[in-house]
């Protein structure tokens, strides 16, 4: 039997600290002995990166935005995620389907039942083994983003109410799927958040090895 390898996604409102902690997660998995593929959504493939530019920069109908997000995801699963996992590599994905529920569902009001139908079509039962949501009140995330000097994309130009709705949807998903989704508060200083990330990763890895005991036998 081939060894099952972990797939971790990271989520959160803009500026909540995903990028700041992605490296910690990758290094943790490397220390556990895995080859790690680090990837992102929208994007992760050549076509996905082209779709990303459209999704982030072009004004479009909400259903178009949803369909392009899932199109990027279909390509990503087919070309990057499934091959990596089946070759025994671990995957760290900066955003995945929880983002679509949070931004297009919670933030923009696209029906969650339609998102579920698309999720079922595009990735069936496949989901990350662990999702870390970096949680931060929007007032603070907007303050942090204001300090980056980056040209804001169309999501970053949304108002505080939008980010509050995005955050609420993330928190609701975490409550409904506590086995997969863990919340990490991004309010404390970076070193403290990093330590909390490591606590979550150690607990996850112990569960993951236990749940997949048979594939860890040599
Ligand atoms: N999107 C969507 O709508 N639907 C979908 O299905 C998918 C995505 C998949 C791009 O995502 C957009 O795509 C996203 C949703 C949409 N909305 N936007 N914009 P992205 O992940 O590429 O972009 P982002 O969310 O804006 O990520 P980011 O700018 O890289 O932010 P971050 O990774 O969460 O934060 P950071 O760069 O690590 O930190 C931001 C700043 O805060 C930085 O200066 C840090 O040094 C600082 N920071 C971080 N943590 C701390 C702490 N603890 N204390 C103090 N300062 C901190």
């Amino acid at each position: 039997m081939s060894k099952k390898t972990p797939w971790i996604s990271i989520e959160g409102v803009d500026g909540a600290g995903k990028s700041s902690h992605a490296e910690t997660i990758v290094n943790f998995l490397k220390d556990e002995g895995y080859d790690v593929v680090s990837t992102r959504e929208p994007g992760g493939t050549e076509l996905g990166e082209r779709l990303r530019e459209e999704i982030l920069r072009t004004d479009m109908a909400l259903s178009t935005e949803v369909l392009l997000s899932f199109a990027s995801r279909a390509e990503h699963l087919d070309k990057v995620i499934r091959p990596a996992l089946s070759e025994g590599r671990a995957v760290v994905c900066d955003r995945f389907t929880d983002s679509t529920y949070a931004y297009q569902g919670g933030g923009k009001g696209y029906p969650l039942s339609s998102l579920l139908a698309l999720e079922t079509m595009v990735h069936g039962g496949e989901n990350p083994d662990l999702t870390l949501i970096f949680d931060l009140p929007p007032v603070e995330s907007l303050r942090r983003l204001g300090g980056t000097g980056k040209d804001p994309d169309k999501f970053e130009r949304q108002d505080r109410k939008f980010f509050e709705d995005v955050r609420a949807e993330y928190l609701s998903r975490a409550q409904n799927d506590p086995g997969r989704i863990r919340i990490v508060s991004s309010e404390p200083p970076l070193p403290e958040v990093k330590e909390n990330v490591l606590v979550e990763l150690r607990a996850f890895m112990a569960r993951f090895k236990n749940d997949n005991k048979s594939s860890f036998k040599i």
Side-chain angles (χ1 to χ4, degrees), residues 93-128:
C93 191
D94 188 340
R95 296 193 182 281
F96 196 63
T97 303
D98 295 298
S99 281
T100 319
Y101 281 96
Y103 283 79
Q104 282 69 41
K108 297 193 178 184
Y110 199 81
L112 300 182
S113 56
S114 303
L115 295 180
L116 180 60
L118 286 163
E119 176 190 334
T120 305
M121 186 177 93
V122 170
H123 52 108
E126 291 170 294
N127 253 318

Side-chain angles (χ1 to χ4, degrees), residues 15-16 19 49 56 60 66 71-72 75-76 82 89 93 113-114 118 122 126-127 134 136 141 172 186 190-191 201 207:
S19 311
E49 291 296 323
L56 297 193
M60 60 182 73
V66 167
S72 164
E75 193 71 6
H76 196 203
R82 289 191 191 107
R89 283 179 282 159
C93 191
S113 56
S114 303
L118 286 163
V122 170
E126 291 170 294
N127 253 318
F134 289 95
L136 194 64
S141 70
S172 154
S186 193
L190 268 171
L201 290 173
R207 284 197 306 276

